[in-house]
Amino acid sequence: MGFSTKNFKLPEQLDSCKAALREFVQTELDPLAIEMNRKRQWSEKLFPLMSEAGLLSLRLPKEYGGQGLTYSQYWPLLEEIAKSGGVCRGPAHGKNGMWEMIHDYGTEEQKKKYLSTWSGPSCPVFALTEPETGTGVDIKTTATKRGDYYILNGTKWLISAADIGEFFHVVCYTGDRSLGPKGISMILVDAKTPGMEIEDPGEFMGGRATAHHIVRFKDCKVPVKNLLGKEGQGLDIALKSFLDPSRLSIAISCLGPCQKMLELSVAFAKERITFGKPIAERQAVQMMLADMAVDIHALRTMIADCARRYDAGEKVATQISMCKLFGVETTRRVSDSALLIHGGIGTCSINMIEMLYRDVRELWFEEGTPTVQRTVIARDVLGKEIRSVGK
Ligand SMILES: Cc1cc2nc3c(=O)[nH]c(=O)nc-3n(C[C@H](O)[C@H](O)[C@H](O)COP(=O)(O)OP(=O)(O)OC[C@H]3O[C@@H](n4cnc5c(N)ncnc54)[C@H](O)[C@@H]3O)c2cc1C
């Protein structure tokens, strides 16, 4: 294996690290991602490969064996990983983001149990979304306290990696539903706890080897010591320590595949000859490539600005939503143009464009739809009070 962040003194050597990572992505991650997509089968090689290279602990603090990168140092590396598409981007995004919830709100016992092994190939899961409601205060899952245990009941769905996950961050009501956000808590549930069932809902459009499961809790007994933070803090923990910065990661996850699709389109346009000339010499194709480059440059600039301001502790909830919104809209325009430039063969799975085109559709939903992002932005534009991002 030719790459490890351990070979680099990050962040001093970020540029050389990014170049070496690009090579690792092309030689190690791309072939595995393509094979997993083709076979539609999860590979147990992926987590160990990425963890060995240090890619699952880039933002994890050094005291827990991570690299402790700031967002400004992290995003150029996530951009490279995301060029491999959804199956590799998902683990990097999840592992480099979810640790913050236990780090910020966990007891010493929880930190020892979950964070001391975080840099390894362990797989955490985040469970908020529900089939009958949405992703906010209208959730229905409850945890009722009985002695030293909570009894969990309810159903989650679209839960990434639930089949391979070792522990779940479950967002649920511990208090009266009339309390709204103040009744919501977060409970850590170890996989295979009796009363927990995982169901495969079927194949998804993107990241073909990955799955997003239905998770049912039926009188599932969880020790009270598994409560993260205090009762009533659940939504705050989810938003401030995971979902808000994670929206920025989704924007970065849009940037990587877009840059890759531009690179593939440029190479293809130079090679593909019709009527005696490479299509790259046709003005119509040049205009598409130019528009793709403009979108990508704008997105990269927005991300860099947001990351810098997030690291400086500024309130950037609106700007992060702008990045996520612009990111998914960029994937739509760039993936359409990339497919058109490739012609019909672009829709065949021998071509990476086909995989990336499908994969980027998932990013529309993760961490909130475009409507949710527009709502956050509109509130700010209208001068209404907005939540702060950061702690
Ligand atoms: C690939 C993938 C992985 C995911 N992984 C996870 C995971 O690991 N854990 C997890 O908890 N969730 C996960 N999700 C779920 C994701 O967070 C949700 O799909 C997303 O937040 C949208 O919620 P929803 O699907 O319930 O859509 P809905 O809330 O049902 O929305 C459907 C449509 O209605 C619109 N809408 C809904 N409410 C309103 C409103 N009040 N006003 C205006 N318009 C509205 C939405 O914008 C959308 O267009 C994943 C989703 C995908 C696709």
Side-chain angles (χ1 to χ4, degrees):
M1 205 252 312
F3 176 82
S4 167
T5 51
K6 289 170 197 140
N7 299 335
F8 296 89
K9 283 196 175 59
L10 289 171
E12 293 85 348
Q13 299 169 353
L14 199 62
D15 284 347
S16 59
C17 182
K18 189 174 150 100
L21 177 56
R22 185 172 303 148
E23 201 185 318
F24 175 75
V25 167
Q26 284 169 1
T27 55
E28 305 275 345
L29 293 187
D30 281 355
L32 188 56
I34 289 165
E35 186 194 325
M36 286 168 74
N37 266 271
R38 191 171 49 77
K39 291 186 179 165
R40 299 180 181 217
Q41 202 177 2
W42 179 255
S43 168
E44 289 186 358
K45 288 185 206 158
L46 186 66
F47 265 74
L49 180 68
M50 293 183 76
S51 128
E52 184 68 14
L55 304 181
L56 303 181
S57 51
L58 294 165
R59 289 198 61 241
L60 184 72
K62 287 186 175 165
E63 62 180 300
Y64 295 109
Q67 295 286 346
L69 299 189
T70 62
Y71 241 95
S72 300
Q73 293 159 347
Y74 166 63
W75 76 257
L77 302 184
L78 182 60
E79 178 191 345
E80 291 304 324
I81 299 166
K83 286 181 180 176
S84 262
V87 296
C88 301
R89 185 279 308 176
H93 167 217
K95 289 273 288 196
N96 283 303
M98 272 187 232
W99 60 269
E100 226 164 329
M101 294 184 281
I102 296 176
H103 178 266
D104 293 349
Y105 293 90
T107 60
E108 283 313 309
E109 192 184 339
Q110 288 167 345
K111 286 181 192 175
K112 196 167 168 221
K113 180 172 175 187
Y114 298 107
L115 294 189
S116 59
T117 54
W118 195 278
S119 61
S122 66
C123 177
V125 176
F126 180 76
L128 167 66
T129 310
E130 301 193 355
E132 290 170 31
T133 57
T135 51
V137 288
D138 57 341
I139 56 167
K140 287 189 171 169
T141 299
T142 56
T144 312
K145 208 189 247 176
R146 280 208 203 122
D148 291 340
Y149 290 90
Y150 284 111
I151 310 297
L152 260 168
N153 278 292
T155 305
K156 302 286 180 184
W157 77 350
L158 292 167
I159 307 305
S160 301
D163 55 338
I164 55 166
E166 277 132 40
F167 55 97
F168 293 58
H169 302 72
V170 180
V171 186
C172 56
Y173 269 96
T174 46
D176 196 288
R177 285 175 61 83
S178 63
L179 290 172
K182 291 202 161 55
I184 294 178
S185 303
M186 185 176 291
I187 295 179
L188 299 169
V189 182
D190 290 331
K192 301 196 172 76
T193 300
M196 193 176 166
E197 284 168 19
I198 312 281
E199 192 184 313
D200 185 352
E203 276 183 4
F204 282 77
M205 187 189 282
R208 281 223 166 120
T210 59
H212 313 282
H213 289 84
I214 300 169
V215 183
R216 295 184 206 285
F217 298 102
K218 288 183 191 158
D219 293 330
C220 179
K221 217 170 144 188
V222 184
V224 165
K225 66 177 184 180
N226 285 25
L227 175 73
L228 190 57
K230 295 185 186 135
E231 284 197 1
Q233 273 189 320
L235 219 48
D236 251 14
I237 298 173
L239 289 165
K240 289 189 179 165
S241 290
F242 178 49
L243 292 174
D244 282 336
S246 185
R247 277 183 187 162
L248 186 52
S249 289
I250 296 292
I252 303 159
S253 304
C254 294
L255 179 63
C258 285
Q259 176 64 38
K260 181 77 184 181
M261 285 189 274
L262 175 61
E263 289 165 13
L264 291 169
S265 300
V266 167
F268 184 88
K270 285 181 178 171
E271 274 174 22
R272 172 74 176 148
I273 292 171
T274 65
F275 302 99
K277 271 189 191 179
I279 59 169
E281 289 184 27
R282 308 287 175 187
Q283 210 172 33
V285 172
Q286 289 172 5
M287 297 303 107
M288 281 197 272
L289 292 170
D291 286 345
M292 290 161 84
V294 172
D295 261 339
I296 290 167
H297 176 62
L299 178 58
R300 188 177 282 113
T301 307
M302 285 172 79
I303 289 168
D305 175 62
C306 237
R308 184 184 51 75
R309 292 167 66 175
Y310 177 79
D311 288 340
E314 286 183 38
K315 292 183 177 178
V316 283
T318 307
Q319 288 72 18
I320 285 182
S321 281
M322 288 177 177
C323 271
K324 207 231 136 166
L325 177 64
F326 190 73
V328 292
E329 297 204 328
T330 294
T331 64
R332 177 164 54 79
R333 292 190 288 267
V334 167
S335 62
D336 277 358
S337 298
L339 191 65
L340 277 174
I341 289 170
H342 278 75
I345 201 66
T347 63
C348 175
S349 65
I350 56 163
N351 206 307
M352 208 171 166
I353 290 288
E354 185 271 342
M355 179 181 89
L356 295 174
Y357 185 94
R358 282 185 292 96
D359 280 5
V360 293
R361 263 61 197 167
E362 296 189 335
L363 301 168
W364 282 74
F365 302 98
E366 289 181 48
E367 273 57 305
T369 62
T371 306
V372 168
Q373 313 310 327
R374 284 194 171 90
T375 306
V376 173
I377 298 161
R379 248 187 243 150
D380 191 22
V381 170
L382 292 168
K384 294 187 182 172
E385 194 190 329
I386 55 158
R387 281 184 308 103
S388 64
V389 167
K391 294 145 233 161

